[in-house]
Amino acid sequence: MKNRYSWGRMYLLVSLLFVSVMLYAQEERDLKPVSRTYALTNVNIVQAPGRKVDMATLIIKDGLIKAVGKNISIPPEAIIIKADSLYVYAGFIDGLSRTGVIKPKEENKERPKDPGNPPAERAGITPQLDVRNFLSASDKSVEDLRSLGFTTAHVVPYGGMLPGNGAIIQLTGKAPDDMVLIEESSFYSELTPAERVYPATTMAVIAKWRELYRQAALEKNYATLYASNRSGLERPSSSRLLEPFYPVIDKRTPVLFKAEKIWDIHRVLGLQKDLGFSLILAGVKEGWEVTGKLKSSGARIFLSLDLPEEQKEDKKDEKKDDKKEDKKDVPKMMTDAEKEALEKRKAESIANYVSQAVAFQKAGIPFGFSTLDAKLKDIQANLRRIIKAGLTEDQALAALTTTPAQLLGLSDRLGSVDAGKIANLVVSSKPYFNEKSKVKYVFVEGTLYKIESSDAKKDASIVLEGEWSVTADTPQGKRESVVTIRKEGDKYSGKISGARFPQAQDLEEVTLDGNKLKYTFTITEGGNTMKITVEATVEGTTFKGTAAAGQFGNIPVEGKKKPQLKP
């Protein structure tokens, strides 16, 4: 009897120890939730543009949408999210992006001995590269884009005229391979000239592109002939430079061309007409005058969400405004009538940019949107500006969901809230395009991300005033600077100093929204000026983020507050 009691007691102790260890291990390893099944209840579901179910239930299981509608039974293992009065949409799709893509450090760009025939890499010709080699699942840009409701992005590498292959990724996962939905989804191209070597002009880029394509077609034809009958034929050469063109020639892979300006669009369409490849035209900013030509080309279109700033009228101090205008925008000798005509042309130009999507809609051209070059903080406001210009909310939603899914061949998996599709979803507090709407949750392949608003992130413990040591990880190495921030009332100002600044320079803008810091400044080098915008997340006495440096992309930056010396 005593022996059985001892064994029973030992069994109980071992069982309790095992459970304790398992619970501890779960906390330590930050394991996934016990269940991957979720039930959103009493939620307004916008399944697709024009299709809505109010106060319904949505079931997610194993990364897929299992059921949508009313009177749906909830699985016992489901984690229930009471989404009363919230709105659910399909996750948004970005047609051209560098989200999560790390810019490689620049190689030595010394002028080669023969600048008319430089090495391919020096000329910006690297079609053999794969964007997957440059992906980082932990890059802050992934979280930032996801917090706006985007769940999928067509990403491309940095580079010159032929940077490499793009991929369609999901904005989730712990490693690059976890993110990839479709590898080698596009053959990415730009009209970017090389520096101080051929092709050094846009026209030279077009000529070089045509030359490479035709050379690849010849090599491919010979390789096909050789494969059919090797006897008596010289073995074809292998070329990493030309072989990436083969699926383009066969129209198995589309050419994704970034073309912002109207003349760039004309040049790319001329190249496509000459060579006949399948074309995706993305980052389009000035396409409203060539809608007819674009429609007949059959190109798939992604319009840029980077819009010019709105003109602000300020009549408080007209004399002061006139002086500022004379200094920055308008030649001093212009008459009032000439100034008025100039302002009118500027206003018309901005209106054309903002209403571009309306022009494409009227022309019957399907289009999606691209976030490349757009400031993420402006995207929701820019969408509202486009809607105000005449695009309906359903049309804007289509350009974020169903249309890009169709253009990228993803309609069977993404783009709408239907049973059987991947659980990529965005949940907002109000209809998404409402100015007061906040994204509350985002699901990517069934993984839940809770999005904290800037109001929720406000931290009274953040004291921005003082000196910050800032390190920028540039392609040329680490660069140090000191940022000094002051506060007067609710407004911040500051200065930046360092090796690149002979004298301390005023920051043009300093803001703190919750724990999101932003400041801008201008650097001058080699006679060129560039505006730098730093956006970072502050945690106590440190911050981490990126510096947007124009054509050089986003550069990682970190800051650490210097301790204040006591008097």
Side-chain angles (χ1 to χ4, degrees):
M1 181 76 179
K2 185 176 180 181
N3 189 43
R4 279 186 295 172
Y5 174 77
S6 298
W7 276 106
R9 186 178 179 187
M10 182 177 291
Y11 176 81
L12 179 60
L13 288 171
V14 170
S15 299
L16 289 172
L17 178 61
F18 178 77
V19 170
S20 300
V21 169
M22 289 299 291
L23 289 173
Y24 176 78
Q26 184 170 5
E27 289 180 1
E28 285 296 300
R29 289 181 289 166
D30 191 24
L31 294 178
K32 294 179 181 178
V34 177
S35 174
R36 290 193 66 210
T37 304
Y38 295 90
L40 278 68
T41 60
N42 296 327
V43 68
N44 301 305
I45 304 173
V46 183
Q47 291 186 263
R51 282 201 290 136
K52 184 183 173 189
V53 185
D54 292 328
M55 303 303 288
T57 299
L58 190 152
I59 306 296
I60 299 166
K61 185 173 183 179
D62 297 329
L64 300 174
I65 300 170
K66 286 296 180 181
V68 181
K70 296 187 177 183
N71 303 318
I72 292 175
S73 59
I74 298 174
E77 74 275 17
I79 298 170
I80 297 175
I81 298 175
K82 295 180 180 179
D84 300 33
S85 301
L86 299 182
Y87 289 77
V88 176
Y89 303 86
F92 304 151
I93 301 170
D94 186 350
L96 175 60
S97 176
R98 286 199 174 101
T99 299
V101 180
I102 304 302
K103 186 174 184 179
K105 292 187 176 181
E106 289 187 14
E107 301 295 330
N108 187 358
K109 286 195 173 183
E110 290 184 4
R111 190 178 176 90
K113 292 182 180 180
D114 184 2
N117 186 28
E121 289 190 13
R122 180 65 179 81
I125 303 171
T126 55
Q128 73 278 9
L129 296 184
D130 192 321
V131 72
R132 289 177 289 179
N133 296 326
F134 307 102
L135 276 177
S136 171
S138 61
D139 190 75
K140 186 176 178 293
S141 61
V142 175
E143 177 189 350
D144 290 346
L145 188 61
R146 186 174 58 220
S147 69
L148 294 175
F150 287 86
T151 56
T152 306
H154 193 170
V155 296
V156 296
Y158 289 92
M161 63 173 279
L162 290 172
N165 287 307
I168 297 173
I169 65 168
Q170 299 277 64
L171 302 186
T172 189
K174 294 184 178 180
D177 287 347
D178 298 336
M179 305 171 75
V180 177
L181 185 64
I182 300 178
E183 68 275 9
E184 298 181 354
S185 56
S186 61
F187 183 88
Y188 182 58
S189 301
E190 295 183 3
L191 295 179
T192 302
E195 294 181 21
R196 301 187 300 151
V197 298
Y198 181 82
T201 66
T202 302
M203 297 308 295
V205 169
I206 293 290
K208 186 64 177 178
W209 213 104
R210 185 180 284 108
E211 174 195 329
L212 289 169
Y213 184 95
R214 288 176 172 163
Q215 189 178 350
L218 290 173
E219 293 286 345
K220 179 179 178 296
N221 289 339
Y222 183 76
T224 303
L225 177 64
Y226 181 80
S228 66
N229 183 9
R230 298 180 181 87
S231 178
L233 293 176
E234 184 181 359
R235 178 177 63 85
S237 60
S238 176
S239 173
R240 295 185 185 184
L241 192 66
L242 299 178
E243 286 167 5
F245 280 89
Y246 292 2
V248 172
I249 294 167
D250 290 339
K251 296 185 179 180
R252 289 182 284 114
T253 300
V255 178
L256 173 58
F257 243 116
K258 178 188 176 185
E260 300 180 358
K261 305 295 183 180
I262 185 168
W263 287 112
D264 289 344
I265 295 170
H266 279 299
R267 290 174 180 124
V268 172
L269 291 180
L271 192 65
Q272 181 216 17
K273 185 177 180 180
D274 184 20
L275 302 176
F277 51 78
S278 177
L279 175 63
I280 299 175
L281 207 59
V284 175
K285 295 182 179 180
E286 295 182 0
W288 58 85
E289 290 185 356
V290 288
T291 53
K293 194 171 183 179
L294 286 167
K295 188 172 184 178
S296 62
S297 73
R300 289 170 273 176
I301 308 295
F302 289 92
L303 305 180
S304 176
L305 280 174
D306 179 29
L307 299 181
E309 292 184 7
E310 292 183 276
Q311 284 187 307
K312 295 180 180 179
E313 294 183 8
D314 187 1
K315 298 182 180 179
K316 291 181 181 179
D317 189 348
E318 292 183 0
K319 292 182 180 179
K320 186 177 180 181
D321 286 349
D322 286 343
K323 290 179 181 178
K324 183 185 290 186
E325 188 178 51
D326 284 344
K327 289 182 179 179
K328 289 189 175 181
D329 298 325
V330 183
K332 293 181 180 179
M333 301 304 293
M334 289 184 71
T335 65
D336 289 343
E338 288 171 332
K339 289 180 183 179
E340 186 177 344
L342 178 61
E343 290 302 315
K344 184 178 179 181
R345 287 197 299 273
K346 286 172 62 177
E348 288 174 351
S349 177
I350 292 172
N352 284 331
Y353 273 88
V354 177
S355 62
Q356 175 176 233
V358 180
F360 276 76
Q361 189 72 39
K362 289 179 178 178
I365 302 175
F367 62 89
F369 287 123
S370 159
T371 68
L372 190 70
D373 298 331
K375 294 178 181 177
L376 296 187
K377 70 178 184 64
D378 294 335
I379 285 177
Q380 284 182 282
N382 286 350
L383 285 167
R384 290 193 292 270
R385 289 173 65 189
I386 292 169
I387 289 168
K388 187 177 179 181
L391 201 68
T392 69
E393 290 191 6
D394 273 351
Q395 290 165 350
L397 180 61
L400 291 167
T401 55
T402 52
T403 303
Q406 181 264 322
L407 294 175
L408 297 174
L410 301 170
S411 293
D412 60 333
R413 290 178 276 181
L414 300 173
S416 64
V417 187
D418 289 304
K421 292 197 173 183
I422 295 173
N424 280 13
L425 305 163
V426 51
V427 184
S428 59
S429 59
K430 295 180 181 293
Y432 183 82
F433 301 111
N434 186 302
E435 189 172 357
K436 296 182 179 179
S437 179
K438 303 288 184 184
V439 175
K440 306 288 286 185
Y441 307 100
V442 172
F443 287 88
V444 189
E445 291 201 55
T447 298
L448 172 63
Y449 296 92
K450 187 174 181 180
I451 310 300
E452 293 186 49
S453 67
S454 58
D455 292 336
K457 290 181 179 178
K458 285 183 178 177
D459 187 347
S461 66
I462 295 176
V463 179
L464 205 56
E465 306 95 284
E467 287 190 345
W468 296 77
S469 297
V470 181
T471 303
D473 191 6
T474 75
Q476 292 78 32
K478 294 187 182 297
R479 296 286 186 268
E480 308 287 340
S481 61
V482 174
V483 172
T484 305
I485 297 177
R486 300 181 297 274
K487 185 178 182 182
E488 296 179 8
D490 293 331
K491 293 185 178 182
Y492 291 97
S493 62
K495 291 181 178 292
I496 184 169
S497 59
R500 291 196 172 190
F501 307 97
Q503 295 180 338
Q505 179 177 313
D506 288 334
L507 299 178
E508 297 167 29
E509 177 186 12
V510 185
T511 60
L512 182 67
D513 184 7
N515 65 345
K516 299 294 185 183
L517 169 66
K518 177 185 173 184
Y519 63 86
T520 63
F521 59 93
T522 300
I523 62 172
T524 301
E525 195 166 301
N528 297 317
T529 60
M530 179 183 295
K531 191 171 185 178
I532 308 293
T533 299
V534 174
E535 294 187 75
T537 300
V538 183
E539 293 183 3
T541 57
T542 64
F543 68 71
K544 183 181 289 188
T546 57
Q551 63 180 344
F552 299 104
N554 292 328
I555 297 170
V557 295
E558 293 185 12
K560 186 174 182 180
K561 193 172 186 182
K562 292 184 176 183
Q564 287 185 313
L565 299 176
K566 294 182 179 180

